Amino acid sequence: MIWSPAGGEPIKAPNEAINVFDFEPVAFQNVPPAHFGYMASGLDDEVTLRANREGFLKLQLRPRRLRDVSKVDTSTEILGTSYDSPIFICPTGGNQFFHPDGEVAVAKAARAGNHLQILSTSANYSVEDVTKARGAPIWFQLYASPRWEVAQALIKKAEGAGCPVLMVTVDRVAGRNQETLFRLTRRDTRDCASCHDRSSFASRVVRRHNYDGIDLSGVTGSGEAANLTWDTIRRMRDVTRMKIMLKGIVTAEDAELAVQNGIDGILVSNHGGRGEDNGRATIDALPEIIAAVNGRLPVLVDGGFRRGTDVIKALAMGAKAVGVGRPYLWGLGAFGEEGVARVLELLRTETRVAMQQCGVRTISELNPNFVRRAT
Ligand SMILES: Cc1cc2nc3c(=O)[nH]c(=O)nc-3n(C[C@H](O)[C@H](O)[C@H](O)COP(=O)(O)O)c2cc1C
């Protein structure tokens, strides 16, 4: 449940943090137990959650020497837009669970480091408000409600807010057994019903402003769309000019289908171990996707990235960019916008240093020869 190394006093200010894990115990102190449990939880035995971290330990770097790394450029281009950092903000729902400024605080911190931000359908703040706070277009993550009209209305809203990319999440088709969440909810003495009205979906999403003005009659849930198929994705293509990426692809077979269906990019993700407990790290799934796609579309990856060395392992294997979820939520829960900014700064610094240590000046200089599988 807690990843930060044991011992030591919780930090008192963002600049005291030595690494991203330092924010987690502070967030644990500040955030109500049920909300912390929602963030920390994997599913079932949390094998996938752990695998996402442990996958990096099975990979070693092969640094090169004597290559003048006094100047390093960490920028990356994704679908024609250049970002100063290859690290992007993964979509996570309900950021006000962690701090009243929620996704707006995250956007301001992302703006400071020119990071790509992907906003969740289930965000508390609307796509318009977050775009304004980010000061540049953001991408919209879509939970395609089981009712097509709701998905269509969300797509229109994202397009209207200027999002260039629709990131459709395809790995939430069923309910989920979030045992850490359930256990921590039992420890929470507050009256959950005073904030969470669970009588209908419309009442549940009252503070999820992307749903404002959308007719939700007949809809019982958002994240889970068990009826999603490639036909649904093709239908989306017909109603939007935005580029379409799929989040949650973890096999070569589906990567090939994505190419055949004209998808613009893939995010290799297992939802941070929250989709199903499949046991496989995303860093282990990445090579088969890269091989299947064979340069035909950009591949991004997320899941367990906490260190600069994690980031460059994925970039060397062929990922265009790397997403983080929980680390920025630890920063948000600990210190709001300043906490998120410091988490991102630490990741940027570690990534830059890891590039120098490996003897590369640009991300394009990284290639699979820099990584080997430990035997
Ligand atoms: C609290 C929380 C909420 C999340 N909400 C969403 C969401 O609304 N939509 C989505 O596509 N993924 C969601 N995710 C998954 C993230 O986008 C991402 O795939 C994952 O967090 C990456 O793994 P990491 O947390 O180990 O960095 C959520 C993850 C967490 C931890």
Side-chain angles (χ1 to χ4, degrees), residues 56-62 313 370-374:
F56 295 108
L57 301 178
K58 295 183 275 171
L59 296 170
Q60 302 168 337
L61 288 165
R62 297 182 64 250
K313 283 174 186 173
F370 281 94
V371 186
R372 76 179 284 276
R373 193 155 282 280

Side-chain angles (χ1 to χ4, degrees), residues 91-245:
T92 58
N95 285 185
Q96 282 188 323
F97 280 2
F98 312 106
H99 190 276
D101 297 340
E103 295 84 4
V104 163
V106 175
K108 290 180 179 166
R111 179 180 193 160
N114 189 23
H115 294 266
L116 166 65
Q117 181 177 14
I118 309 179
L119 186 72
S120 168
T121 297
S122 310
N124 290 122
Y125 284 91
S126 71
V127 61
E128 293 87 356
D129 286 346
V130 179
T131 302
K132 202 165 143 212
R134 174 62 184 80
I138 58 173
W139 294 8
F140 188 76
Q141 174 269 325
L142 180 71
Y143 275 141
S145 155
R147 235 186 73 213
W148 168 249
E149 293 73 22
V150 176
Q152 198 175 1
L154 288 165
I155 292 170
K156 287 274 161 261
K157 192 175 281 244
E159 194 164 272
C163 298
V165 177
L166 183 71
M167 170 82 70
V168 186
T169 297
V170 295
D171 60 7
R172 286 290 326 281
V173 290
R176 48 184 185 174
N177 182 30
Q178 297 176 289
E179 295 187 11
T180 294
L181 165 61
F182 303 151
R183 281 182 215 291
L184 283 183
T185 302
R186 280 188 202 149
R187 278 203 220 165
D188 208 317
T189 50
R190 298 160 322 136
D191 174 21
C192 297
S194 65
C195 286
H196 299 269
D197 175 355
R198 302 199 184 280
S199 56
S200 70
F201 180 64
S203 58
R204 272 209 313 274
V205 296
V206 74
R207 291 192 193 88
R208 316 262 174 159
H209 290 292
N210 289 321
Y211 287 103
D212 287 356
I214 299 179
D215 174 12
L216 296 172
S217 45
V219 180
T220 54
S222 66
E224 296 149 32
N227 57 354
L228 211 61
T229 65
W230 289 102
D231 273 343
T232 327
I233 306 295
R234 281 192 287 272
R235 231 174 145 185
M236 290 177 189
R237 172 66 81 212
D238 291 341
V239 298
T240 181
R241 291 186 311 277
M242 287 184 286
K243 296 219 161 55
I244 296 183
M245 291 186 90

Side-chain angles (χ1 to χ4, degrees), residues 35 38-41 49 52-53 89-95 98 119-123 141-143 167-172 176 208 247 267 269-274 302-306 323-329:
H35 292 186
Y38 161 70
M39 179 275 300
S41 204
L49 181 69
N52 277 349
R53 279 299 301 135
I89 303 282
C90 286
T92 58
N95 285 185
F98 312 106
L119 186 72
S120 168
T121 297
S122 310
Q141 174 269 325
L142 180 71
Y143 275 141
M167 170 82 70
V168 186
T169 297
V170 295
D171 60 7
R172 286 290 326 281
R176 48 184 185 174
R208 316 262 174 159
K247 176 173 186 282
L267 171 47
S269 172
N270 55 28
H271 219 109
R274 299 156 76 83
D302 73 24
F305 288 85
R306 309 288 181 260
V324 289
R326 292 178 183 86
Y328 79 81
L329 295 178

